[in-house]
Amino acid sequence: MKKTLISLAAGTLCLTVGQANAAGTSPWTVRLGPAHVAFSTKADVQVGGSLVPGGDASASSNTTLGIEVAYDISDRLTARFLAGIPPETTLSGKGALASAGQLGKVTYAPAVLSLTWKLVEDGPVRPYVGAGINYTFVTRNRDAFITDLDTRSAWGSVLQLGVELPIDPTWSVSLDARKIFLKTKATGTLPAFGGASTRADVRLNPLVVLLSVGRRF
């Protein structure tokens, strides 16, 4: 009798797991797709310790491959981690520094951890909102008008808005935007100014838009 009950319980457990997997109720989802990064840059630039009036800089937009791992904490609350292949942005002079042209290039690896809340739990369109934190790790600096360029890695806060379109219980398509509020510092020297030191306090504030295909595992 004991063996029969154990076998019955094991069979019931296997059936339940099989039904859950068939229904796509796993809390884990992996999403993959293009991520576009557009910067909204403002810089306060100093040369030799003095502020350059009207001096500014811009950072070029980038598109890379993004990957997101998501875990459903509840029916509506989801934890998400977004990373991707590190892209390279080009820093250029702007305003009073426009004639300097290309200031340098920076390869960076942004990582975003966020919590999102589904506004609609079921249905063909499921919008969500969220917030989180970002850490942008600078992996490489390349000199141009500025030599010995050193751009700091930095933390930032994140606001998120997105929509998920389920295809079936396993597959889905998502489109979301993460606004990152990010400040950093960059230093270097200017050979064109006799090797004078330069420093910039930079607000990057990128908008990351991810279009992805997701699969539950």
Side-chain angles (χ1 to χ4, degrees):
M1 175 65 71
K2 185 176 180 181
K3 289 183 178 180
T4 302
L5 291 175
I6 292 174
S7 298
L8 180 60
T12 302
L13 177 61
C14 290
L15 178 61
T16 301
V17 172
Q19 289 174 339
N21 288 339
T25 56
S26 166
W28 292 99
T29 302
V30 175
R31 294 183 172 87
L32 190 69
H36 183 72
V37 185
F39 293 96
S40 179
T41 312
K42 182 71 174 69
D44 296 321
V45 183
Q46 298 180 24
V47 174
S50 298
L51 185 67
V52 179
D56 203 347
S58 64
S60 63
S61 300
N62 315 120
T63 299
T64 188
L65 180 64
I67 180 169
E68 180 189 85
V69 178
Y71 180 82
D72 291 334
I73 299 172
S74 69
D75 289 340
R76 292 200 173 189
L77 186 64
T78 301
R80 303 174 186 271
F81 178 76
L82 173 67
I85 298 175
E88 183 180 70
T89 184
T90 298
L91 306 178
S92 301
K94 187 178 175 184
L97 296 175
S99 61
Q102 187 182 117
L103 303 177
K105 294 185 177 182
V106 178
T107 302
Y108 61 98
V112 178
L113 179 64
S114 61
L115 287 174
T116 61
W117 180 262
K118 288 181 184 177
L119 301 176
V120 177
E121 185 176 340
D122 295 308
V125 179
R126 301 174 186 177
Y128 55 85
V129 296
I133 58 173
N134 159 260
Y135 185 72
T136 298
F137 180 68
V138 176
T139 62
R140 184 184 182 189
N141 292 281
R142 293 176 59 188
D143 296 345
F145 188 79
I146 299 175
T147 60
D148 301 321
L149 178 63
D150 181 20
T151 306
R152 310 278 180 84
S153 302
W155 292 91
S157 58
V158 180
L159 293 178
Q160 186 171 355
L161 176 65
V163 61
E164 180 181 5
L165 308 173
I167 298 172
D168 59 31
T170 300
W171 294 92
S172 62
V173 175
S174 296
L175 175 65
D176 75 18
R178 294 166 170 88
K179 182 64 177 181
I180 302 174
F181 300 93
L182 181 66
K183 296 181 180 180
T184 188
K185 298 181 186 297
T187 59
T189 57
L190 301 173
F193 289 84
S197 64
T198 183
R199 168 178 166 160
D201 296 317
V202 187
R203 292 181 290 279
L204 292 168
N205 295 352
L207 178 66
V208 181
V209 178
L210 175 68
L211 175 62
S212 60
V213 174
R215 187 183 190 281
R216 286 189 178 273
F217 289 90

